[in-house]
Structure formats: structure tokens, C-alpha cells
Amino acid sequence: MKARKWALGLLAATMACGSSPGLADIVYRFGQAPLFDGRYGPVAVVQTRINEELAGCGKPATITVDGVFGPGTRNALRALATCPGYVPKLANDADARAGSLTTTYWDALIGGERPSVDQRARTLMLTYENTDYTRMEWNFCQSSPLYNPSAGRNVCFSNDPRSYLTWGPNGATGGGGREVQLVLAMVDRTSPMLIDQAFGIEASAIRRTFQLRDRDAQRSLETYLCGVWADASRREAWRQGFNALGRAPDVRAAYDNLYRSSSLDGGKIATFIQAYSDNGLTPTEADYGFFKDRSAHTSPSLGPIRTAISQALAADRSAPRWRIRQAIALNVRPGSQRADRLGRDVAFYIDGAGDRLSQEELSAWQQRGRLRASDAGLADTRPFTDFSAGPALETGIAQPENLTDAERRACPQAVLDTRRPEGRP
């Protein structure tokens, strides 16, 4: 899909602003809740540089490089702002001296290209998802108490019985969606040594998953991964393998490219953009952050979104942009996790709404972490048209393989017979 240039509504996008002009210079800030950008994002780069510069100024390096922009990073930026090399550069930037990472502070501290709108939108999404490229989780047998036949605990229950493992910031699954296999196969085609180095003797087992079908009569992929999980040493070897693999820049790039595909989040974002375009609107930065977070968490349909926008505009043709996002949030809601989704949505329009939120909206936002789009410098004062979805994915398996008898035996029957524990709804 080629990048769209939405001329219609550009003036409205500029005028319908919900963020104050004073926030336009923010890159990242600690507001009411920390931001999490992962071990390899812009925040971690900033933290590394802060420590270096503090040491050069004769002050202690005070922060851990963990990608969390919280009070520690804010306070370190405040301290650095008093160093002789920074005082004149930040003299006219009160936000920077108070510990926000502004564009002025970024230029003085890092220089070069600033974090993009997509990167900053991703920071908000990552904060909610609270995971990273180096983190993999198995999804078999999450019962409490945990399944352990040797201790007489024979009940196995999996919260998502079609997602056998999840990995990375977008929650790639090794189940029916095959996102994990698609990323790994992409890496294996270009840099096979990365899988060999990360997984060692388990590398061939990783590659075997590329050829196993899911939801076939033999439950091939589920059974195979269950067999790996059932062996505690192999289970941990895979976890450590993903940890090592996620440190490689090529792997992170492949992961991001996969989710930019029109078959995955890229196509979902394009759905929101199309709904805006159909109503004569151009997305703003805050809109894009909303699209990206929604696309990581839900599967949007064009019709309901387009209708919610048109109804909001019918009620007020000059509705500020935050009202448009609010209309989507309140009228296009998932069937489950409704309060959780609403709390995330409010983060993208609370800057404009102020005290005009309902009690339901305010409560959901407070429960979900009190983030704001402006914490990552996303504003309605600037349009955002620089988006193109990646090509569609080929998800078929050209030559599917069958399980061996040993592989079938490795999976305990109780895992395949997963059921809810007594008394669990």
C-alpha cells in the first residue's frame, strides 16, 4: 500500500487541536506515570547518554538503562540541566530544566534525528503492553495451582488455548497466527546464524515449527510445542533463546516489519486512516498514536469506525479532534476487556477533554495507568500522513510435515484435554 497524502481535511486537522501549544516541544516526559520504551528504544539511548554526561560534569550517574522514563530519569535530566555545558543551551526551555526531554534537550544531549511519531506512538503502546523483544512466555497450563502431576496437580488450563507462546512487544503468537514462525523464518532466510547462536541445540526444533500446521486433525503445532514445554530444561532453553535473539538488531527489524504488514497491524492502521479519509479528515499525531495502540490490541472494522466519525461530525462539523477519538472509543468497543480498552483510549484524548470526561472514562483511565498522548509529545497541532502499510504476508506452508510418534508422546494428554479448574468461571 502506497503512502497516502490526505489533502482533504488538512486545515481542519491543524485547527482542531486538543493539546496546548506548550506541549508541542515535548519528546518524552514523566507526567503521572512512567513511560516504557524497551531496552533498545530512544529512552534507553537517552539514559545511557545522561549517565555519560553526568559523569563528565562531575556528578554521579544515577539511572539504570532500562527504557523506563520515570521520576529517576526526570530527576537526572534536571541535574544535567545545571551542568555548565547545558545551562546556556536550555536557558529558554523551562520544560527541559524541569526534567522533560524536549526537542531542544534532545538536540543538546543526543543530536541527530529525533524519535519519529511512530517511535513515540510505539512507546505508549509498549508501556501498555509491558513487554519487549527479549521476552517470551509460554501459555500452557496457567491454572492456579500450576499443573504438576508429580505433586498431584493434574488440572491444566490455558487462558488462550490457541496461543501456545507469545513473544515480543506486539505479542506475536506461536499459535494460529503464526507470527512467531513468520518472524523467525524471515530471520532464518537472511541470517540463519542468529537462530543457531541463540538456540544452540534447539535451533533445529525452532525450524521444525515452520513446517507444522495448526488446528489440523492431529493438532500438530500445539502438540509439538506442548512437548517442548513439558520438558523443563527445553522450556527454559527456548525462553533464553528468545531472550538472546531479541538483542539482535536484525531480528528487531524483522519483527517490526512483520507487524507493519497490511496483513497485521499495518492493515489495521490503514483501516482507521481510511475511515478518516472517508469523512474528509487527515490524521494528526495523536490520532496516529490512537490508531497504533488500538491496532495492537483490537481488530478494527471500517464500517463502525466510519459511522462513529460521521455521527460525531454530524453533531458538530467543527468538532475538535479529541471528540472524534472519543466517539470511536465510546461507540466502537470490544466485547471483552472493555474497561481496559477504554482506559487506554482515554489516554489519547484526555489532553483535549480535560474535565469533560465522564466518570466511567476517568475511572478507566486512572485504573489503566494515567498516561497521556502528550507524554510522548503527540499533538493534534500537527498532521501525520507519513504512513504506508507493508506488503501482505504469505502465511501458507508449502510442504507441511507430520509429527513423529515420539513427538506426540512428549505432550501430556492433560494439556491437550485442557479444561477449567473446578470453581473457575
Side-chain angles (χ1 to χ4, degrees):
M1 174 182 174
K2 295 181 179 180
R4 296 176 179 273
K5 301 297 181 184
W6 304 275
L8 284 174
L10 182 58
L11 179 60
T14 304
M15 296 176 62
C17 56
S19 301
S20 69
L23 296 176
D25 198 39
I26 297 294
V27 179
Y28 292 121
R29 69 173 182 185
F30 170 64
Q32 292 179 263
L35 296 169
F36 173 64
D37 197 49
R39 294 174 57 183
Y40 304 99
V43 171
V45 172
V46 167
Q47 291 173 324
T48 299
R49 186 65 177 154
I50 290 172
N51 282 337
E52 293 171 351
E53 291 294 281
L54 285 173
C57 183
K59 297 185 178 184
T62 58
I63 51 176
T64 301
V65 179
D66 56 7
V68 177
F69 196 115
T73 300
R74 177 199 60 196
N75 293 342
L77 285 168
R78 283 178 179 169
L80 184 59
T82 66
C83 289
Y86 287 87
V87 170
K89 296 176 181 178
L90 305 179
N92 297 319
D93 193 338
D95 285 330
R97 296 195 306 275
S100 293
L101 183 65
T102 63
T103 55
T104 302
Y105 214 150
W106 175 276
D107 293 344
L109 181 64
I110 305 295
E113 188 174 357
R114 300 165 186 160
S116 67
V117 171
D118 181 70
Q119 285 176 305
R120 289 180 282 123
R122 184 175 173 278
T123 297
L124 292 167
M125 183 268 286
L126 269 179
T127 303
Y128 282 124
E129 295 297 307
N130 192 31
T131 188
D132 209 343
Y133 298 99
T134 55
R135 183 176 174 184
M136 183 274 270
E137 294 181 351
W138 291 99
N139 296 330
F140 290 109
C141 298
Q142 294 147 325
S143 315
S144 181
L146 292 176
Y147 169 76
N148 186 351
S150 64
R153 300 196 295 268
N154 298 310
V155 174
C156 166
F157 172 72
S158 302
N159 292 330
D160 186 352
R162 293 299 186 185
S163 173
Y164 318 124
L165 63 86
T166 56
W167 168 47
N170 292 73
T173 68
R178 300 190 70 245
E179 297 97 346
V180 171
Q181 295 96 303
L182 291 169
V183 174
L184 296 182
M186 189 184 306
V187 171
D188 202 39
R189 286 193 294 271
T190 58
S191 305
M193 74 292 297
L194 290 176
I195 290 180
D196 292 328
Q197 292 167 356
F199 289 96
I201 62 172
E202 291 292 332
S204 60
I206 287 289
R207 294 184 174 102
R208 181 132 168 76
T209 66
F210 303 168
Q211 305 303 322
L212 293 176
R213 292 167 293 188
D214 187 36
R215 305 192 190 189
D216 57 348
Q218 289 73 41
R219 299 168 70 175
S220 300
L221 180 64
E222 177 184 11
T223 302
Y224 182 77
L225 290 175
C226 163
V228 175
W229 170 85
D231 184 318
S233 61
R234 296 188 70 194
R235 182 192 314 174
E236 182 59 22
W238 278 47
R239 195 193 310 273
Q240 293 301 323
F242 278 99
N243 182 295
L245 196 68
R247 300 173 191 171
D250 288 352
V251 173
R252 299 196 298 272
Y255 192 107
D256 292 344
N257 286 337
L258 181 91
Y259 275 92
R260 196 176 182 88
S261 164
S262 58
S263 300
L264 295 174
D265 290 11
K268 297 177 185 180
I269 292 171
T271 295
F272 281 100
I273 291 173
Q274 183 64 55
Y276 268 53
S277 179
D278 290 348
N279 281 283
L281 299 178
T282 299
T284 67
E285 291 178 351
D287 286 327
Y288 180 75
F290 176 68
F291 301 164
K292 191 174 183 72
D293 192 65
R294 270 256 172 168
S295 297
H297 195 233
T298 64
S299 296
S301 297
L302 177 61
I305 298 169
R306 184 167 52 198
T307 298
I309 297 171
S310 65
Q311 289 176 345
L313 292 174
D316 179 3
R317 186 60 206 174
S318 61
R321 189 51 60 84
W322 70 266
R323 286 280 191 194
I324 303 301
R325 295 190 293 276
Q326 182 188 48
I328 298 171
L330 296 179
N331 295 288
V332 187
R333 300 177 66 177
S336 61
Q337 297 182 306
R338 290 169 65 85
D340 180 80
R341 182 64 255 170
L342 181 60
R344 292 172 68 152
D345 287 344
V346 171
F348 294 94
Y349 62 85
I350 190 171
D351 289 307
D355 61 2
R356 288 166 286 188
L357 296 174
S358 69
Q359 185 56 49
E360 179 190 23
E361 291 170 298
L362 183 60
S363 177
W365 175 74
Q366 291 171 336
Q367 291 295 319
R368 202 54 183 88
R370 300 171 182 261
L371 293 177
R372 295 171 179 263
S374 58
D375 292 341
L378 301 182
D380 277 328
T381 53
R382 295 182 292 270
F384 181 73
T385 60
D386 187 21
F387 174 78
S388 59
L393 300 173
E394 174 54 59
T395 60
I397 301 175
Q399 295 180 312
E401 297 178 358
N402 295 317
L403 293 180
T404 66
D405 290 340
E407 289 168 342
R408 279 191 288 269
R409 289 193 300 269
C411 176
Q413 187 61 38
V415 179
L416 297 179
D417 292 341
T418 182
R419 61 184 177 85
R420 295 181 183 276
E422 293 297 326
R424 183 164 184 161

